[in-house]
Amino acid sequence: MAKLKRKHYIELIICLLVCVIPIISSVTHVQHFTYAESLFVDDNNNVIAKREMHNGVENIEISEILEETSGGDLYLRHYDIPNGDTVVSGSLHGITEEPVVLQALHIVGDASIHYYDNGEFETFPLEEGEYDPSLLFIDSKEFDVACYTPKQYKFLENDSLEYLPEFDGYLKVEKAEDGFDIELVTDIVAENCCSDFMIVYSNADFMNWATNEVDPAWIQLTMDGDNRWTYTGFYRKAASNYYPTGENVYSRCQACYLGASFVNANPRYRVMDDMLFCIIDTMSLQQNELGFFPSESRSDWLYEDFNIPAGYYDTRFNSDLMEIFIKSYELYMNSSAYKAMEKYADFFVNMVEQCGRSDKKGGIWVPDYWSEEADFTKVNTSLNHQLSEISVLYKMSDILHRIDLARLADKMLKAIENTGYSWTKPDNDLHYCIYPDGSFGKDDYLELTYNDMFKLQKVLEEKKGYRNEVLDNLMECKLRWMKLHGAKDYLQ
């Protein structure tokens, strides 16, 4: 195995002086693109747009490029991170007649490659060949590379994707006189299909490979199972009652569990911080003109029970995404997250004014879902949705300096207080939801709702200096039930 060396600033300066630096470029078989150009161009190389995002006192320049390849179009988002790292997210749209090189780089000297193999994280000396793990890392003297390798998808209705496993991309490594030439390659891309990837470059260590410092949770972040990260966002295996659905069909999930894993990770590695800039920006682009993040797949039961079509608003998924934006803003002063929260807060307040249900005692119930076509005489309010929305409102109230958000959260919490023990069943479990007529029903999750109450109590303690007595009582009942039913993942 190649001996791993720590990167020193002096060594980097020396390398730069002798021009021995990684040559990083986005290439096809016949074209080269240098990252110094931060433009969005059309097929005739005319500038369309240039986007910038300001994070705290430092700037992050985000450039989006459309480059024509031999038969296809390569869309790239390039991120210059303040710490000096570079993130590139890309999507090659068909039709191509041969494999396409999406990225190319040169490594001087020896290197190691790290990836999961049969459930174990393995480290090998980099050698000539082809590597196709979904997630891999390369560690060399001058720089590190992290990569979600190209995965190919067919575009379906409702912004869904069908995964095409026979067309996975790979990393091609060839031995050079002074090191290695590396290419990130996608297979041929058919009509109405895309091949998506994300790659990160750094002149610093992503992780301390010499001490095998690897979080076991990374195996959940390979994005080669039920969860996928793509150029257009986070996807999950489509449920059987979604349209479209199928064996390899994925629907866009606005909760973005990959982003949640990164912002909440402990330890949170440097590469996670890098990827988060891309994730936050990509997810912010999914916000519609009304201010929410739509679930584009049609849910059969929502359509049949509530007349809610594709493109609806799901309060839980949007609350989960707002938690990622909130944490991202707290960590990085990320302006993409801030702007998304501003617009979302306006939508939420307007939506509650339109279809929130007063309990006539000072409380407000917010329906779980919204669309212009929805029948709100039927749409329920689940306890976990209401709890997650309250937490988000309190936090956004502080960030956005909007007291109206905190007052709305107070009214939503008041609705829960006014119902109190009505949420409990004889066996100490909780009802899942309350209906517009005031009745309760459905089976609750094993641990989710309890964890939501636990988190909200933490928010109340921090922002108001006390715990909510009604929530404590509900938590006590739920905890007794969970212990009798083998729950293990509840917060303590």
Side-chain angles (χ1 to χ4, degrees):
M1 179 182 297
K3 184 179 180 180
L4 303 179
K5 300 180 180 179
R6 294 184 60 83
K7 299 162 194 61
H8 299 292
Y9 182 74
I10 295 177
E11 292 179 332
L12 178 60
I13 295 298
I14 294 173
C15 290
L16 289 172
L17 290 174
V18 298
C19 297
V20 184
I21 58 175
I23 302 170
I24 304 172
S25 60
S26 168
V27 302
T28 69
H29 291 292
V30 294
Q31 294 178 315
H32 294 262
F33 172 75
T34 61
Y35 289 138
E37 303 174 56
S38 89
L39 306 172
F40 181 34
V41 299
D42 61 18
D43 293 337
N44 297 317
N45 230 24
N46 297 317
V47 176
I48 297 175
K50 179 178 178 180
R51 295 195 294 122
E52 289 188 355
M53 178 173 69
H54 301 278
N55 294 269
V57 296
E58 299 184 85
N59 294 340
I60 289 185
E61 189 169 274
I62 305 170
S63 57
E64 187 165 23
I65 301 94
L66 170 60
E67 181 178 351
E68 186 177 351
T69 70
S70 55
D73 292 322
L74 178 59
Y75 295 83
L76 296 172
R77 291 196 199 100
H78 164 247
Y79 301 80
D80 286 326
I81 311 298
N83 63 13
D85 296 351
T86 297
V87 182
V88 180
S89 176
S91 181
L92 178 63
H93 293 203
I95 307 170
T96 65
E97 299 176 353
E98 56 185 352
V100 174
V101 179
L102 301 168
Q103 299 275 286
L105 56 143
H106 180 71
I107 288 180
V108 176
D110 294 330
S112 295
I113 188 167
H114 314 260
Y115 55 85
Y116 278 101
D117 185 29
N118 295 321
E120 298 291 333
F121 203 85
E122 302 286 357
T123 300
F124 306 96
L126 186 65
E127 297 177 345
E128 189 166 276
E130 294 180 356
Y131 300 84
D132 63 356
S134 297
L135 173 65
L136 55 82
F137 300 88
I138 294 176
D139 178 57
S140 70
K141 182 178 181 181
E142 280 82 23
F143 67 104
D144 279 9
V145 176
C147 182
Y148 281 110
T149 54
K151 298 291 184 184
Q152 194 164 151
Y153 305 94
K154 181 179 180 181
F155 297 113
L156 302 178
E157 303 99 319
N158 299 336
D159 283 348
S160 295
L161 299 172
E162 180 185 358
Y163 170 50
L164 307 175
E166 65 272 23
F167 295 104
D168 279 356
Y170 54 92
L171 204 70
K172 181 180 180 181
V173 179
E174 292 185 349
K175 192 72 178 72
E177 184 175 342
D178 61 345
F180 297 94
D181 291 321
I182 299 176
E183 295 177 339
L184 183 63
V185 184
T186 181
D187 207 331
I188 59 173
V189 182
E191 184 178 8
N192 198 39
C193 296
C194 66
S195 183
D196 292 6
F197 70 94
M198 179 164 63
I199 191 166
V200 186
Y201 306 98
S202 176
N203 286 322
D205 282 314
F206 284 145
M207 286 177 263
N208 189 348
W209 302 111
T211 59
N212 296 317
E213 179 195 335
V214 177
D215 188 342
W218 271 104
I219 198 170
Q220 306 298 325
L221 307 174
T222 58
M223 299 292 104
D224 59 0
D226 290 344
N227 300 323
R228 297 301 171 100
W229 177 255
T230 77
Y231 183 75
T232 53
F234 182 77
Y235 282 74
R236 297 205 77 192
K237 201 74 172 290
S240 60
N241 61 350
Y242 277 14
Y243 178 80
T245 190
E247 181 181 359
N248 287 314
V249 175
Y250 289 76
S251 60
R252 186 184 294 160
C253 177
Q254 300 294 13
C256 192
Y257 300 126
L258 178 63
S261 296
F262 282 1
V263 296
N264 295 314
N266 185 21
R268 191 178 59 255
Y269 302 109
R270 180 187 181 106
V271 67
M272 291 179 172
D273 290 334
D274 291 343
M275 289 182 174
L276 270 169
F277 285 110
C278 174
I279 291 171
I280 295 300
D281 183 60
T282 301
M283 295 306 300
S284 70
L285 296 175
Q286 307 307 319
Q287 191 169 28
N288 63 19
E289 60 182 11
L290 294 178
F292 69 90
F293 297 79
S295 294
E296 297 293 358
S297 290
R298 193 189 76 186
S299 167
D300 290 342
W301 79 271
L302 290 181
Y303 184 71
E304 294 167 2
D305 290 0
F306 306 140
N307 196 41
I308 294 178
Y312 60 92
Y313 167 63
D314 183 317
T315 59
R316 181 73 210 209
F317 284 171
N318 277 251
S319 292
D320 287 348
L321 181 58
M322 286 304 109
E323 289 284 3
I324 299 170
F325 285 173
I326 288 167
K327 189 65 176 290
S328 176
Y329 181 76
E330 292 172 345
L331 290 170
Y332 316 112
M333 301 295 287
N334 188 303
S335 69
S336 285
Y338 187 90
K339 292 174 183 177
M341 285 188 283
E342 280 187 313
K343 192 173 179 182
Y344 176 77
D346 288 339
F347 163 79
F348 190 86
V349 170
N350 292 333
M351 184 270 296
V352 174
E353 289 179 355
Q354 173 188 333
C355 58
R357 295 190 295 270
S358 170
D359 67 357
K360 311 301 183 184
K361 300 177 183 178
I364 293 179
W365 296 111
V366 177
D368 284 355
Y369 311 99
W370 179 90
S371 76
E372 292 181 350
E373 301 86 351
D375 182 355
F376 290 108
T377 65
K378 298 180 179 179
V379 182
N380 58 257
T381 298
S382 60
L383 183 56
N384 80 84
H385 281 230
Q386 183 106 345
L387 290 165
S388 63
E389 293 160 52
I390 293 170
S391 291
V392 165
L393 287 173
Y394 280 135
K395 294 174 184 177
M396 289 199 306
S397 175
D398 287 348
I399 293 172
L400 302 178
H401 304 290
R402 287 185 54 173
I403 189 63
D404 63 314
L405 301 181
R407 288 171 177 166
L408 176 55
D410 290 340
K411 293 179 181 178
M412 294 171 63
L413 182 57
K414 182 67 173 177
I416 298 174
E417 292 174 341
N418 290 340
T419 48
Y421 277 113
S422 297
W423 282 98
T424 61
K425 297 179 180 181
D427 63 355
N428 284 318
D429 195 11
L430 302 180
H431 294 287
Y432 173 77
C433 69
I434 183 171
Y435 294 101
D437 64 2
S439 63
F440 296 83
K442 295 187 180 181
D443 295 328
D444 191 31
Y445 289 107
L446 181 62
E447 297 140 339
L448 176 67
T449 306
Y450 178 89
N451 289 344
D452 287 333
M453 289 188 285
F454 186 97
K455 293 174 185 176
L456 179 53
Q457 292 283 44
K458 293 293 184 183
V459 173
L460 292 173
E461 287 177 318
E462 177 183 340
K463 299 187 181 302
K464 293 179 176 289
Y466 63 83
R467 294 173 62 86
N468 184 277
E469 183 178 354
V470 171
L471 293 184
D472 272 338
N473 292 335
L474 295 179
M475 290 173 68
E476 182 181 350
C477 292
K478 183 69 177 184
L479 182 59
R480 288 200 294 266
W481 183 89
M482 288 192 301
K483 288 181 176 180
L484 287 174
H485 291 81
K488 298 179 180 179
D489 294 328
Y490 57 88
L491 298 175
Q492 300 182 61

